[in-house]
């Protein structure tokens, strides 16, 4: 749902009333698992990032609610725990908040909020002298 809201608090006043409570729970979960997160509206939906590192966002769609975990590898790693849901690369679609496994979502959010470790430099290949 695209709104003309300027803040996340204002966004909540513009969505369907029956969606505000479950999405508010998602918001609280994000803020709990990533306390240093910055909250903003991006593409008309609440979005959470640490600096330039996006973590998650959520939205109220016509027929479902969605949670976006901004690291597709994290979503893929939890695909077994999410198999009862409609899941895209980074989007988890649900109709009821009870459909989301809270421990899994918290783990995914915590992982997404963890700064990326720099990749180690590739090991040099050793050649065997002839």
């Amino acid at each position: 749902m695209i709104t003309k809201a300027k803040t996340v608090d204002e966004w909540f006043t513009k969505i369907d009333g029956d969606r505000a409570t479950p999405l508010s729970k998602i918001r609280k979960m994000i803020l709990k698992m990533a306390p240093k997160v910055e909250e903003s509206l991006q593409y008309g939906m609440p979005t959470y990032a640490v600096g330039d590192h996006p973590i998650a966002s959520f939205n109220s769609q016509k027929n479902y609610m969605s949670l976006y975990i901004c690291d597709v590898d994290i979503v893929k790693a939890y695909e077994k725990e999410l198999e009862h849901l409609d899941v895209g690369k980074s989007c988890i679609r649900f109709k009821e908040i009870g459909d989301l496994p809270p421990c899994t979502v918290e783990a995914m959010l915590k992982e997404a909020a963890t700064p990326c470790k720099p990749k180690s430099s590739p090991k040099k290949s050793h050649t065997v002298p002839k």
Side-chain angles (χ1 to χ4, degrees):
M1 176 186 86
I2 304 263
T3 73
K4 295 187 187 243
K6 299 210 185 310
T7 67
V8 174
D9 288 331
E10 184 183 354
W11 181 89
F12 272 102
T13 68
K14 298 190 179 294
I15 64 171
D16 294 335
D18 61 333
R19 301 275 181 92
T21 298
L23 291 173
S24 180
K25 288 180 181 180
I26 298 285
R27 180 188 195 188
K28 287 177 185 171
M29 194 180 297
I30 293 169
L31 295 172
K32 173 185 166 191
M33 299 313 296
K36 295 181 181 182
V37 78
E38 296 169 23
E39 185 177 63
S40 66
L41 285 174
Q42 301 292 323
Y43 303 102
M45 63 182 151
T47 303
Y48 300 84
V50 175
D52 292 337
H53 177 70
I55 293 170
S57 57
F58 56 82
N59 209 350
S60 175
Q61 306 294 350
K62 182 178 179 181
N63 296 313
Y64 57 88
M65 293 171 278
S66 54
L67 169 64
Y68 299 87
I69 303 294
C70 296
D71 184 331
V72 296
D73 292 331
I74 293 172
V75 176
K76 187 173 175 97
Y78 288 90
E79 63 187 357
K80 180 135 178 83
E81 292 88 339
L82 301 170
E83 67 186 0
H84 64 286
L85 296 166
D86 182 9
V87 178
K89 284 186 177 182
S90 68
C91 179
I92 303 163
R93 297 169 200 84
F94 58 99
K95 293 190 179 200
E96 302 288 331
I97 190 73
D99 296 341
L100 290 174
C103 291
T104 299
V105 173
E106 285 183 353
M108 293 170 70
L109 291 168
K110 186 173 183 179
E111 208 171 313
T114 303
C116 297
K117 295 178 184 171
K119 293 181 180 179
S120 59
S121 57
K123 293 181 181 178
K124 294 179 182 178
S125 60
H126 297 284
T127 55
V128 179
K130 293 184 182 182

